[in-house]
Amino acid sequence: MATITAEPTGVAVVEEEHPLPFIRKYIFSTDHKTIAIQFLFTCLFFLLVGGLLAVMLRYQLGYPGKPMPGGDLLPETMAPGGIILPEFYISLVTMHGTFMVFFAIMPLLVGVYANYLIPLQIGTHDMAFPRLNMWSYWLFFVSGLVMLSSFAVEGGASVAGWTQYAPLSAMPEASGVYAGQQLWMISIAIFGFSSLLGSINYVTTVINLRAPGMTWFRLPLATWSLFITAILGLLAIPVLTAAVIMLLFDQTIGTTFFLPETGGQPLLWQHLFWFFGHPEVYILILPAMGFVSDIIANGSRKPIFGYHSMVFALISIAFLGFIVWGHHMFQSGMNPALAMSFMISTLVIAVPSAIKVFNWMGTMWRGSIQFTPHMLFAVGFVMLFAIGGLSGIFMASTPVDIYIHDTYFIVAHLHYVLFGGSLFAIFAAIYYWFPKMFGRMINDTMGRIHFALTFIFFNLVFFPMHGLGMGGMMRRIYDPSQYEHLAGMQDTNTLVSLSAFALYASGLLFFVMFFWSLFRGKKAPVNPWNATTLEWQVPSPPLHGNWTEIPVVYHGPYEYSHPDMDKDWLSQNERPDVVSPARH
Amino acid sequence: MDWSFPINASTQGIVIDNLFWIIFWMTAVAFVIVEGGVIWFMWRYRSREGHKATYTHGNTTAEIIWTAIPALAMIFLGIYSGAAWADIRGLDSFPDDALTISVVAKQFEWNITYPGADLVLGNGDDFTIRNRFEFPMGEPVIVRLESEDVIHSFFIPELRVKQDAVPGMTIPIWFEATQAGEFQIACAELCGLGHYRMRARVVVHDRASFDSWYRDRSGAVQTAAN
Amino acid sequence: MTSHAATMERGRSPERGLGVPTNKLGMWIFLTSEVMFFTGIIGSYIILRFGASDSWAAPGEVLNVTVTAVNTFILICSSVTMVKAFAAIENGDEKMLRIWLLATAIIGASFVGIQLFEYSELIHHGFLPSSGLYGSTFYSMTGFHGFHVTVGVLCILWVTLKAFRGGYTQENHQGVEVIGLYWHFVDLVWIILFTIVYLI
């Protein structure tokens, strides 16, 4: 079989070659598609882990002090007699956030889809640096193992929240956790390198390896969003890496960056962490927005409403995302005048997000909408992300934040954007690109059932949390009954917990369906969704090297339903014999 | 289901709740437009036999309108919130001559130090009570917040007061209660194992009751010193 | 049929975003992330120092400025030899390439050696990472920089080995240019560090 190797200059050459041995083809592969699928399976596993951690902490909140079913499988240090201990509870909270942010959502968006889509959508054979790409996956794998291992060490896993505020995170005598805290830092440092190698690849590839005719403003929004996300990662993650290493030093070799007794500043940790942390949340949403744009245009059979506006909104959000970090620190003791400046930039960043929501609506307007699972999840994204964005406005206002900071109102907000937003978009992306990745179809009916269950239970879990926050329920507390003002909330908490169990069960249903479809799904055609972008012009799944001939691009990415054509879609590389639509 | 705010017992609480509801109504309008619009479009533009989608690459006027309106809304909120913030936390907003009490957070309790008979912190006549914060309503009170170990957060829900206590820093805040009553301090920043039970009793007195309580306490300290 | 032939047949070349060859572009992008990493560390130093300015040791009180100044000069020399190596291969002079690359590696290694010597002296005199904020910031900044120099020296050695095996020609010597970029960056960071840690 012919294979393609990429020369350093980026021009590919076809060679006849012996087939690769199994280990080079599937384990230590440099093919971007294989690497993407490796990320996919690993991340789906971590999604299950993160969800299970949430189920356990919700059990404690729903049925405080009661033995959890299956809890007797856990060691005495975590849940004696099946009853979750306070120390285990806070490690559940910490690790749920950690696994979901770093090991599930971020790599599902970037590790999977940046790797899978970019070379295909821009029309090239592979990434600019395929071997670095392979390292990116394996470093990620190792960092995940290190993080998992922290549950098994003495003292258990980290208990300082996914935000790891110092000095709690730096002082074992205050947190009660020793190796678990250090392993968290080490894992995230390794993760940072993995992410860096990925970003270098994505940025270089998009700049230098686009096919002839694939100008910047003909790129699909999925690629645009992944490109901008990669730049965000490049600039934000090194700061986190520096911070976790400094914290690790404070924990181990006696430095005092964040320890006030010896001159250090706890707030310095917060500034470093959130300088990373805010761009991080845009890393977690921009690719989702990109996928949703591709999918809604396809599912509405219409061009995206304002393509240039959408690109400029992506760029504005990315840029502004670097100057809002202080809104996580309004009540931290920072200078109130500084807080004011962060409030202003935070209110400003609401505007490009609003622009995007209206553009998605404009895309659906006068479309011809098909209710495939991916379209349902994409539209679900728009609805739920809108709620998340609107709830964000409350906390952007510094006076209101005085009350709602560190309450369940924040928990509601972050889950609407990260689950209702990012994870819904991930589900949409999985359904949409599954046929291309695996050459099989997922059953439409099952997908719609998955959507309905997820949408309903998601809202039952997280919408009431706005109310819990308004009532003053604080975050990360093991037992709300300790406080008088929370006395009436147990019923709500129990309902939320029951819905959470049902939500997890819906997720399990998805897993079963996913794996069933891998082996038993109907064979997929080349272009099951009649889509315009380049990945739909190659076989399902594509060959190693993607293209025997690099395509030439003639059109923009969303030429659907042109009035002069019978066919309601035009591939980007279709020769313009019949008609050359509009501006692109 | 207990979803609503606890009672509002402070002057800044009125400002905060007001602002919350203003934002609520603004976002409610946006919510109806967006969610209603999406659901309406899903039904109205569902794919049907013989119906083709309308080919369009966008509309500049629409872009301008839906950029300008959110921008104006945000400007309004910024100005309104900025003014409120200055009133609550601004350096100029601090009252002169208010009763000043020191609150020191530590794992997992609140140590409240009152300024003694001379009403000035320091000077040897201060007295400290563990987990009991008492002060009068109807006048501003200044709290100087500190921490002995890790970051905690001083949160009294009914007074709409929250401020992180950071080791190595002394952070002043002020507030004024509008009614007497008993409330609690709840720690609102993860501080370790006992974070979930780091609470203290808050007693807001009317003027006369506070005066007599304070006289007893500070008088007692002076007597001991003698 | 090769894709190269295909594109030539169509008369179009791939879209080139910035006109920079891929390997060099990759290195520039990597270096931007390195800038952010050092900004995190150096930024923290600035914040911590100016939050505690009264108790900060004056230049020369703890550290040996003279030795380090000489070391700085040494590192700058290694950048010069690196430039010479690149100029040599641009002119097709494979012999001088090897010599200048070897010189760069040796000088770079000397820098690391002298730094390690300075560390051992300081530790001997009881100045450790645990010596307050001054120790924390000094060792973390110079330590991370030293780590980057060490990695740089190893890469230069690798490139030197390849040069000795005839791996670079006038037409194809991207590896030399790319490692040169990294090396100059590491030198530049040191100049900044030397100024703010030793001189101010």
Side-chain angles (χ1 to χ4, degrees), chain A residues 193-496:
Chain A
F193 285 109
S194 161
S195 188
L196 176 67
L197 293 180
S199 290
I200 294 173
N201 250 317
Y202 311 143
V203 175
T204 310
T205 304
V206 172
I207 292 176
N208 263 16
L209 298 185
R210 286 169 289 128
M214 181 59 87
T215 57
W216 285 102
F217 288 121
R218 284 181 179 167
L219 284 173
L221 287 171
T223 294
W224 258 116
S225 67
L226 290 164
F227 174 69
I228 290 169
T229 298
I231 294 175
L232 281 180
L234 217 50
L235 301 176
I237 288 177
V239 176
L240 176 70
T241 308
V244 300
I245 294 178
M246 287 159 70
L247 187 52
L248 186 63
F249 284 171
D250 271 14
Q251 291 168 346
T252 52
I253 64 173
T255 56
T256 65
F257 297 105
F258 311 117
L259 300 169
E261 267 147 25
T262 26
Q265 293 183 24
L267 286 189
L268 176 62
W269 167 264
Q270 290 185 39
H271 281 294
L272 288 171
F273 181 85
W274 286 117
F275 182 84
F276 146 78
H278 201 84
E280 166 69 8
V281 311
Y282 289 112
I283 291 172
L284 297 171
I285 200 69
L286 290 186
M289 292 173 160
F291 307 156
V292 160
S293 293
D294 276 18
I295 293 170
I296 288 187
N298 171 269
S300 308
R301 314 311 294 162
K302 272 187 69 188
I304 202 83
F305 188 80
Y307 175 86
H308 288 86
S309 299
M310 291 296 248
V311 173
F312 291 127
L314 283 173
I315 294 173
S316 322
I317 292 170
F319 172 73
L320 288 168
F322 274 100
I323 57 171
V324 299
W325 83 87
H327 69 225
H328 300 273
M329 297 170 59
F330 284 151
Q331 320 308 333
S332 66
M334 73 192 289
N335 185 322
L338 188 58
M340 185 84 314
S341 68
F342 281 116
M343 179 184 80
I344 292 170
S345 52
T346 304
L347 289 171
V348 171
I349 207 171
V351 178
S353 307
I355 291 173
K356 292 189 86 72
V357 169
F358 291 125
N359 272 287
W360 287 313
M361 291 174 73
T363 307
M364 292 168 68
W365 172 73
R366 293 201 181 160
S368 178
I369 302 172
Q370 302 162 333
F371 297 102
T372 52
H374 47 267
M375 187 62 175
L376 287 170
F377 272 107
V379 174
F381 168 94
V382 175
M383 295 177 71
L384 299 175
F385 172 75
I387 295 177
L390 290 172
S391 67
I393 294 175
F394 291 83
M395 51 204 75
S397 167
T398 40
V400 177
D401 185 66
I402 292 176
Y403 185 70
I404 59 177
H405 172 67
D406 243 294
T407 66
Y408 266 74
F409 199 95
I410 311 289
V411 179
H413 162 72
L414 76 90
H415 284 93
Y416 266 87
V417 287
L418 283 179
F419 189 141
S422 309
L423 188 53
F424 267 62
I426 288 167
F427 283 136
I430 291 177
Y431 281 101
Y432 188 63
W433 281 295
F434 189 95
K436 183 58 54 185
M437 276 188 171
F438 299 111
R440 302 248 180 199
M441 303 296 285
I442 300 184
N443 179 277
D444 258 11
T445 309
M446 293 305 300
R448 292 193 194 107
I449 292 173
H450 172 226
F451 169 76
L453 291 174
T454 307
F455 190 87
I456 290 168
F457 289 120
F458 168 82
N459 281 292
L460 283 177
V461 174
F462 294 107
F463 201 81
M465 289 187 185
H466 293 102
L468 291 174
M470 285 166 69
M473 180 170 171
M474 301 80 73
R475 291 176 72 169
R476 299 164 168 172
I477 52 173
Y478 169 75
D479 180 10
S481 73
Q482 300 283 320
Y483 295 93
E484 290 159 356
H485 71 285
L486 304 180
M489 292 180 182
Q490 187 54 60
D491 286 343
T492 307
N493 269 310
T494 306
L495 175 75
V496 165

Side-chain angles (χ1 to χ4, degrees), chain A residues 347 351 393, chain B residues 26 67-80:
Chain A
L347 289 171
V351 178
I393 294 175
Chain B
M26 287 170 68
T67 305
I69 294 179
L72 287 170
M74 294 303 107
I75 290 172
F76 165 73
L77 269 183
I79 295 172
Y80 198 111

